[in-house]
Amino acid sequence: MRAASFLLFCLCIAAASAQAPPSLVGAWDDGFAVNPDGSDAPGEYGLTAVDLQAIAVHPLTGEVVVGGRYIGGRSGLLRWTGAGWDPIDLGADTNDRVLALAFGPNGDLFVGGTFTSLRGQTVNHIARWTGSEFVSLGQGVDGHVRSLFYDTATSSLLVGGVSRGNSFSGGTNADGTTVASRNVIRWTGSAWEALGGGVAADRFSDVDAFEKDPVTGDLILSGDLFSRMLNPDGSTVRVGNVARWDGSAWSRVGNADFDYNVYDVEYVGGVLYAIHEGLSGALGTLWRLAPGGSWERLASFGDDDPLALVEYRGQLVVAGGFDSVLPVGADGLPVPGIAAYDPATGAWSALGGGIVDLNDFGVADLAVAGDDLWAGGDFTLAGGRASVNVARWAGTAPFDGVYATFRLDARRAEEAGLVSVYSRRGRYGSNDTPFLAIESGPAAGLYALAANAADLADSVLTATVLLPRGQRVRYGFGVDVNTVNDPRRILRDEDLGTE
């Protein structure tokens, strides 16, 4: 092993950077790494897929299931047992990938995506997993499935489709009858049912997300490039990428007129929130529907878009490929990959050190299982520790502590050498990686340092770490190869200094 180089510092916890917002209570689980040799050693349960798209939680057991493409080289569908991943065999003949998951109230799992067959039977983009077999929903739908939502009020499944290079025009029942409903359709349990005519004739469009109005029970959906919806009587209504279905007709949601993709919508405390993709270099944004029906912008996001929303402990958690949040009328905050918004106070919180090294789209989906928050997508670090494409935020911290942010600043001559080897878009573990090393105590280990847009042109790297309250720590900064993939490769005989 090539020798690591270290810089020695003394830093009081109380003097840590005040730039980062306070963190929610909890900590990232450090058990989702992957061994350098690819083996599944106990305690290292990362997923090596580059395309994890969906997470769902069993309504009775709290079991977590994830879906994507070629996860871990085994299957596009796996369930978390609490001690490892158990693949659900899709069959050797399965083509393409899982894009959407939803559980029914009895625990049956609905699976949607770009596939047309599972375990040798034709299912056409959607199927139900009973725990022992896949069952087709009629003869399926004729286009790729992007989103699923089980509506307990009507005991039916809402299906959102994609029309990009293919056409999602509706579903086919078991008897061969077809039901036209473009890009959105309902499965009643025995047959397909149209929601008016669905999206009105837009050539390229997606339905990416569903939500239910907690007061009226109306269905809210959002997506990309659908400006109008088609009612049962043939009339169309302008919706601007967010639409409401009251059971008999489509309508606009407030004064919605979003010009591009609304990736997700979520109700928190009776208020509807939406995240909007930045178009032609513009920043992605978070919006709130005000009581009068107007949409109010709450924040923008640096570097890349927000992609997913979920309510967690009464707060709105936003995740995606961003590295900072810029609240309207306030300074930007470094919250890489994931952040929480408190509707009661308007304040933002970090989730520890966030999710960084966002290789492609970042965090693609979020789900809550009891007191835990799960994130899936394309990333390698959560809280500065290896967490490959899947991460779990435990709502209970492993020890009584306080989050502190350590900073490595290239504007200081003695630190410039370490910062200069860092490539913001580089892959951790493939090149020299600057890291923070904490030598002893419950927080001991390596934490990757990362840049964010809230600092000066990548000149400042930071790591946010949960440290034991009221205790001193021994720490230092260093550079080494494969530090994330193999955290044991650190020269423990170095004097890291005493804080």
Side-chain angles (χ1 to χ4, degrees):
M1 168 186 143
R2 183 176 59 79
S5 60
F6 288 89
L7 291 176
L8 308 179
F9 296 92
C10 291
L11 178 70
C12 296
I13 294 176
S17 170
Q19 190 174 17
S23 176
L24 292 182
V25 174
W28 291 106
D29 187 333
D30 62 1
F32 291 94
V34 171
N35 282 345
D37 62 3
S39 64
D40 296 323
E44 299 190 350
Y45 300 116
L47 298 172
T48 56
V50 298
D51 195 4
L52 197 159
Q53 290 281 339
I55 309 174
V57 179
H58 195 293
L60 304 177
T61 66
E63 176 183 273
V64 173
V65 175
V66 299
R69 178 172 56 181
Y70 306 128
I71 297 176
R74 294 165 293 188
S75 171
L77 192 63
L78 299 98
R79 65 182 187 91
W80 176 248
T81 67
W85 293 104
D86 182 17
I88 299 173
D89 182 22
L90 299 179
D93 64 322
T94 297
N95 53 342
D96 289 312
R97 56 184 173 174
V98 173
L99 294 178
L101 300 171
F103 274 103
N106 66 346
D108 281 0
L109 176 65
F110 294 94
V111 183
T114 62
F115 53 84
T116 55
S117 64
L118 294 174
R119 293 190 178 182
Q121 66 170 318
T122 299
V123 293
N124 288 328
H125 312 299
I126 189 164
R128 177 171 57 91
W129 171 249
T130 66
S132 59
E133 64 177 343
F134 285 101
V135 178
S136 178
L137 277 60
Q139 295 183 31
V141 295
D142 64 357
H144 297 168
V145 171
R146 184 66 187 91
S147 53
L148 296 172
F149 178 86
Y150 194 88
D151 182 5
T152 56
T154 60
S155 299
S156 62
L157 179 74
L158 281 304
V159 180
V162 179
S163 292
R164 298 288 179 93
N166 69 297
S167 177
F168 186 115
S169 60
T172 302
N173 290 319
D175 62 4
T177 58
T178 59
V179 178
S181 191
R182 183 180 173 87
N183 276 20
V184 58
I185 196 167
R186 183 194 305 272
W187 175 253
T188 66
S190 59
W192 292 106
E193 180 179 279
L195 280 72
V199 175
D202 285 334
R203 181 179 179 186
F204 300 105
S205 57
D206 306 348
V207 172
D208 291 332
F210 294 100
E211 182 65 301
K212 286 295 291 284
D213 187 316
V215 175
T216 66
D218 293 348
L219 173 69
I220 308 294
L221 61 81
S222 70
D224 189 16
L225 298 179
F226 60 87
S227 60
R228 308 185 74 86
M229 302 298 289
L230 180 63
N231 280 320
D233 63 4
S235 64
T236 64
V237 57
R238 181 176 178 82
V239 294
N241 291 325
V242 184
R244 177 187 298 271
W245 174 256
D246 66 4
S248 60
W250 291 104
S251 62
R252 196 176 183 183
V253 180
N255 64 350
D257 193 21
F258 295 104
D259 58 358
Y260 210 46
N261 201 340
V262 178
Y263 284 115
D264 205 356
V265 285
E266 183 80 11
Y267 275 98
V268 179
V271 177
L272 182 63
Y273 296 85
I275 45 177
H276 179 226
E277 179 180 6
L279 178 61
S280 301
L283 299 178
T285 49
L286 172 68
W287 298 76
R288 173 179 60 197
L289 182 61
S294 63
W295 285 92
E296 301 174 339
R297 185 170 65 88
L298 297 178
S300 300
F301 297 87
D303 188 50
D304 211 338
D305 290 320
L307 298 176
L309 297 173
V310 75
E311 181 180 3
Y312 178 64
R313 295 179 172 179
Q315 300 202 26
L316 179 71
V317 175
V318 187
F322 54 85
D323 61 9
S324 57
V325 60
L326 296 84
V328 173
D331 294 335
L333 302 168
V335 282
I338 190 166
Y341 173 77
D342 187 345
T345 65
W348 287 88
S349 297
L351 277 77
I355 296 176
V356 297
D357 189 23
L358 307 172
N359 297 328
D360 189 2
F361 48 78
V363 179
D365 200 12
L366 297 167
V368 176
D371 205 30
D372 294 342
L373 174 66
W374 288 75
D378 187 8
F379 52 84
T380 57
L381 300 165
R385 310 295 284 273
S387 195
V388 182
N389 295 336
V390 63
R392 179 175 61 184
W393 174 264
T396 302
F399 55 84
D400 181 34
V402 58
Y403 277 96
T405 299
F406 296 80
R407 298 163 61 86
L408 189 63
D409 192 341
R411 295 168 297 177
R412 296 178 55 174
E414 66 272 28
E415 302 178 29
L418 289 181
V419 178
S420 65
V421 302
Y422 175 78
S423 171
R424 185 175 188 181
R425 286 299 182 188
R427 303 297 176 100
Y428 284 94
S430 62
N431 296 302
D432 291 352
T433 302
F435 62 84
L436 163 73
I438 296 179
E439 188 182 54
S440 60
L446 300 186
Y447 300 83
L449 293 156
N452 60 75
D455 281 312
L456 300 176
D458 298 351
S459 62
V460 179
L461 307 181
T462 63
T464 300
V465 181
L466 180 67
L467 299 176
R469 190 184 303 274
Q471 298 182 28
R472 293 178 177 272
V473 295
R474 292 168 58 82
Y475 72 95
F477 295 112
V479 175
D480 204 352
V481 295
N482 296 323
T483 53
V484 173
N485 287 337
D486 188 359
R488 293 159 293 190
R489 296 183 69 180
I490 176 173
L491 297 183
R492 289 296 183 184
D493 57 352
E494 290 282 344
D495 179 8
L496 298 184
T498 303
E499 182 260 334

